[in-house]
Amino acid sequence: MRRKIGVQAVFIYLFFMIAVYCYLYFGGDSGIPEAFRGTSADPATFLNGRELMLSEEYSRIRNFLFFVSIPFEWLFLLLMLLGGLSQTFERWAAASSKSRILQTAIYVFWLSIITLIAAFPFKYIGYYLSKEYNISTQSFSSWMKDQITDFWLNFGLTFLLVSVLYWLIQKSQKRWWLYAWLLSVPFSFFMMFLQPVVIDPLYNDFYPLKDKKLETKILEMADKADIPADHVYEVNMAEKTNSLNAYVTGVGSNSRIVLWDTTLNRLEDDEILFIMAHEMAHYVEKHIYIGISGYLLLSLAGLWVIAKIMDHAVRKWGGILQVSSVRNISSLPLFLLVASILTFASAPLSNAVSRYQEARADSYAIKMTQDSQSAIGTFQELTRAGLSEVNPPYLVKLFRYSHPTMLERISALEQYDREKE
């Protein structure tokens, strides 16, 4: 029975891969509507022929990798359960130590290793493609260093979370999901507070903006928006990528506005000021706190659904999945499988909320700067630097885009100009 289910799952995955390929290469429409041809939103007006071709190729391959890598994770976790690998890891952990904490650490270590091996081809292909298309400038050794940092950081966090999670399941099999959620609230805020000062510096160097004249302009804008900012930070990214970015991170006194040095190198001051106004809008409109609240509400519902599905699955198919009880740590791949599916299913909703907030931030920024041409130039350069699609296929936008498409963003700026006139 296990073999039959495993073979069926593999064939379903292969069929899904073919369907995704057909959609992205033959079915999904990424062309520019006739009404926007020749406008600032038409990539043919600001990209040359080679850039247009590379943008189309790179976007399709990247989208294909995204849509096939996530179901591959589901397939891998399912095969782990059906093949008894999770149960084997649990036995190894039990045989290695009598301490429950050490058993959890050993189990999580083996799970992390096998997961890294399974996911590595997708990660390497993504790295290789970004190098081939001149998006990444990172050396292989530097990339591997980041992968190793990722592994140990994820191992530490996973060990901590799994230890607490299964302790709660042992204490209360009916309400563990509620207690886990209650503990996740302060933990989420703590991690957001920690992110800019502990985690981010593990990967890159951060320092106050070197261009003090530009920093003065940005801080003047922040003062007008009643934002208590003393510094703008830049991060050394040129040795890793040609892409451009700026973002807000952290909460409370650890909040930071961060600019990649690639952004500073490739954009004019007026274009950078538009980006900064956009980031300030997230602070002014409390998007960070709204995002945290939304995440916590979704995680509450998600944990409840995971608990119900896990109980039902173990009762009905525990023998097939080789999981005798939810309390056993060998049920962790089942937890991760259900959580990953729910996260993917909720992506259209969370992305839609994020796109709305980003559109609001664009609107705030253009009203603050009153410089639509710099804003349009910014979006065009972002498209060129990242070889992004201006108008991606509908399903790609639904599941991947946390920002409005460049077609929507640039056309909104042109609409603002028309209304202003």
Side-chain angles (χ1 to χ4, degrees):
M1 184 66 175
R2 294 191 194 104
R3 183 184 180 88
K4 181 181 178 181
I5 293 173
V7 170
Q8 288 175 342
V10 170
F11 274 105
I12 290 171
Y13 176 70
L14 293 175
F15 176 79
F16 177 79
M17 286 181 66
I18 294 170
V20 168
Y21 182 87
C22 291
Y23 174 75
L24 292 175
Y25 283 84
F26 304 108
D29 183 16
S30 59
I32 301 297
E34 191 63 37
F36 296 97
R37 293 192 183 277
T39 68
S40 300
D42 184 353
T45 64
F46 60 89
L47 298 180
N48 60 41
R50 177 172 171 76
E51 288 170 337
L52 284 169
M53 179 192 70
L54 292 176
S55 172
E56 185 175 345
E57 285 181 0
Y58 182 63
S59 296
R60 281 178 173 171
I61 298 172
R62 217 169 43 138
N63 292 333
F64 180 75
L65 282 175
F66 169 82
F67 280 109
V68 300
S69 63
I70 294 177
F72 178 82
E73 177 189 349
W74 306 342
L75 175 65
F76 173 74
L77 291 170
L78 177 61
L79 293 179
M80 268 194 70
L81 292 166
L82 294 173
L85 191 56
S86 181
Q87 200 173 60
T88 299
F89 290 162
E90 186 179 37
R91 284 200 303 269
W92 288 355
S96 301
S97 175
K98 293 182 179 180
S99 167
R100 185 172 292 276
I101 290 294
L102 285 176
Q103 288 177 6
T104 301
I106 293 166
Y107 177 90
V108 170
F109 177 77
W110 283 114
L111 180 64
S112 300
I113 287 289
I114 197 69
T115 303
L116 173 66
I117 293 171
F120 188 81
F122 287 101
K123 291 183 177 181
Y124 178 75
I125 290 170
Y127 164 74
Y128 175 79
L129 284 170
S130 63
K131 286 283 286 187
E132 284 293 298
Y133 284 87
N134 202 34
I135 303 298
S136 174
T137 59
Q138 189 174 19
S139 67
F140 179 75
S141 60
S142 173
W143 180 77
M144 279 301 300
K145 179 184 175 183
D146 283 352
Q147 299 307 304
I148 293 169
T149 303
D150 273 346
F151 173 81
W152 288 111
L153 184 61
N154 290 334
F155 168 73
L157 287 174
T158 303
F159 166 64
L160 174 63
L161 294 174
V162 169
S163 298
V164 173
L165 177 67
Y166 277 85
W167 178 77
L168 292 172
I169 293 175
Q170 292 284 337
K171 294 296 182 181
S172 176
Q173 193 166 341
K174 289 186 177 180
R175 293 189 178 86
W176 64 264
W177 58 271
L178 178 60
Y179 302 138
W181 179 79
L182 290 172
L183 287 175
S184 76
V185 176
F187 181 77
S188 297
F189 279 96
F190 175 71
M191 288 303 297
M192 290 195 70
F193 188 82
L194 211 63
Q195 181 85 27
V197 293
V198 175
I199 297 176
D200 288 345
L202 293 175
Y203 297 89
N204 300 102
D205 296 325
F206 290 78
Y207 33 80
L209 186 62
K210 292 184 226 176
D211 187 340
K212 295 305 176 185
K213 184 177 179 182
L214 177 60
E215 184 179 46
T216 299
K217 293 178 182 178
I218 294 171
L219 292 178
E220 285 175 355
M221 289 175 61
D223 184 59
K224 289 178 182 178
D226 294 324
I227 297 175
D230 296 321
H231 296 288
V232 178
Y233 291 86
E234 65 176 282
V235 54
N236 179 20
M237 291 297 295
E239 62 185 22
K240 291 186 176 182
T241 184
N242 286 318
S243 295
L244 313 182
N245 196 17
Y247 59 89
V248 176
T249 186
V251 292
S253 61
N254 272 19
S255 294
R256 285 185 176 182
I257 298 176
V258 179
L259 273 165
W260 286 11
D261 59 350
T262 51
T263 304
L264 294 164
N265 295 337
R266 293 184 62 165
L267 296 184
E268 301 295 331
D269 281 5
D270 288 342
E271 294 170 334
I272 292 171
L273 290 175
F274 172 80
I275 291 178
M276 288 292 93
H278 172 100
E279 298 304 331
M280 290 174 192
H282 291 307
Y283 180 93
V284 171
E285 300 206 352
K286 310 257 187 304
H287 290 165
I288 294 174
Y289 298 100
I290 292 171
I292 295 173
S293 300
Y295 163 76
L296 291 174
L297 286 174
L298 279 177
S299 64
L300 174 61
L303 284 169
W304 178 79
V305 172
I306 290 170
K308 296 300 181 184
I309 292 176
M310 286 184 69
D311 284 340
H312 178 75
V314 171
R315 279 198 311 269
K316 192 167 184 179
W317 304 296
I320 296 173
L321 298 174
Q322 303 198 52
V323 177
S324 57
S325 171
V326 173
R327 295 183 179 189
N328 294 346
I329 198 170
S330 57
S331 68
L332 180 58
L334 179 60
F335 176 94
L336 297 175
L337 171 61
V338 179
S340 180
I341 292 172
L342 291 178
T343 300
F344 183 76
S346 66
L349 173 61
S350 57
N351 283 341
V353 172
S354 178
R355 287 195 298 270
Y356 172 76
Q357 291 180 336
E358 295 296 337
R360 293 272 302 178
D362 284 348
S363 178
Y364 178 94
I366 192 60
K367 290 175 182 175
M368 172 177 272
T369 61
Q370 295 291 311
D371 188 355
S372 60
Q373 291 309 305
S374 292
I376 290 171
T378 298
F379 291 143
Q380 290 175 341
E381 190 59 34
L382 285 169
T383 302
R384 179 181 293 105
L387 292 180
S388 306
E389 284 182 299
V390 170
N391 187 36
Y394 177 72
L395 290 180
V396 174
K397 174 184 173 180
L398 203 64
F399 284 96
R400 292 207 65 191
Y401 273 57
S402 59
H403 288 61
T405 67
M406 287 304 180
L407 177 68
E408 293 168 337
R409 300 180 87 171
I410 295 175
S411 60
L413 292 171
E414 292 185 326
Q415 177 65 24
Y416 174 82
D417 277 346
R418 286 193 294 270
E419 291 176 355
K420 186 179 178 181
E421 290 173 0

